[in-house]
Amino acid sequence: MMSFVEDGSRPFDYVERLQDGPDGFEARIVRIAAGLPFDATVIMPLEAVPADTADAEPVGDHAVLHHATPDLAAAEDWVLAWANR
């Protein structure tokens, strides 16, 4: 079962990572400082990205997607939506 695990080892205000996601799928949510939005990042194999996705940046054989939101729950929902595609 996928879940988010808080990572307190980073120098940011808040960091969590998705645990037990699909093979080849990584995700983290970072807030650099209090008062700033949460930045959700998804890294997934290029072949898993739907053709109609315009905002995926290719990096090697993976794609990177970002989404910023002021709400942690919304950031988690965005990550889970990508993980469940």
Side-chain angles (χ1 to χ4, degrees), residues 34-71:
L36 293 177
F38 291 93
D39 180 59
T41 302
V42 165
I43 302 167
M44 60 195 302
L46 277 173
E47 63 271 8
V49 178
D52 64 346
T53 304
D55 56 349
E57 291 293 325
V59 178
D61 59 351
H62 284 78
V64 178
L65 297 102
H66 292 278
H67 177 71
T69 178
D71 183 53

Side-chain angles (χ1 to χ4, degrees), residues 5-28:
V5 176
E6 191 171 345
D7 178 356
S9 67
R10 301 286 183 194
F12 303 117
D13 179 60
Y14 187 83
V15 177
E16 68 180 22
R17 298 179 186 284
L18 183 66
Q19 183 174 324
D20 298 325
D23 286 341
F25 186 95
E26 297 176 48
R28 66 182 164 270

